[in-house]
Amino acid sequence: MSEDQDRVGEDIQLEKTRARYGLLAVVVSNLAIAGVAAFGVWRLGGDRSVIVGVLTAAFTAVSSMTTAYLGIKAVSNTAKSIASSAAATRQAPAATHPATTSATSAASATSAPSTTPPAQRNQ
C-alpha cells in the first residue's frame, strides 16, 4: 500500500512540475513575442499601416500560443481523470452474483422501465 501512495505522490509532483514549466514556457514565449512586436513598432517610426500589421500578428501569435496551451492542458486533465476513474472501476469488486435465479431476473425485468416507445410495446 505504501508503494502505491509513493507512486501517486510522485505522479502528482510530476504533473505539478509539468504544469509549472509549461506555463512558464507560454509566458516567456508571449513576453518574447510582445518584446519583438514593441521593438518592431519602435523601429518603424510612425508608419501606421505597418504598425497595425505588426501588432495584429503579435496579438494573433500570443492568443494562439495561450489557447493551444490551455486546450492541451484541458484535454490532458480530462484524459487523466478518465483513465484514473477507469482504473478505479476495474479495481472495484464485482457487485453482481453469477447465481441469479430466473425469478429474480423476471422480477427485475418487469420492474425496470421499458425503453421501447409506447406504440411498439404491445406488438
Side-chain angles (χ1 to χ4, degrees):
M1 187 77 177
S2 156
E3 292 177 17
D4 290 338
Q5 290 174 348
D6 289 343
R7 189 176 350 186
V8 169
E10 290 175 3
D11 288 344
I12 291 172
Q13 187 61 33
L14 179 63
E15 286 299 318
K16 286 181 180 179
T17 303
R18 284 181 181 169
R20 188 176 300 125
Y21 284 112
L23 183 61
L24 179 66
V26 169
V27 169
V28 168
S29 298
N30 288 346
L31 289 175
I33 292 168
V36 169
F39 180 76
V41 167
W42 174 67
R43 292 294 293 168
L44 290 174
D47 188 8
R48 292 185 191 268
S49 62
V50 177
I51 289 173
V52 168
V54 167
L55 292 179
T56 302
F59 178 76
T60 302
V62 167
S63 63
S64 297
M65 177 86 63
T66 305
T67 304
Y69 170 74
L70 293 175
I72 291 168
K73 187 67 180 155
V75 168
S76 173
N77 290 345
T78 303
K80 186 164 181 79
S81 68
I82 289 172
S84 65
S85 66
T89 303
R90 276 186 266 134
Q91 290 178 355
T96 60
H97 298 288
T100 57
T101 62
S102 61
T104 57
S105 62
S108 65
T110 58
S111 65
S114 177
T115 57
T116 58
Q120 297 176 357
R121 288 185 189 162
N122 296 330
Q123 292 179 355

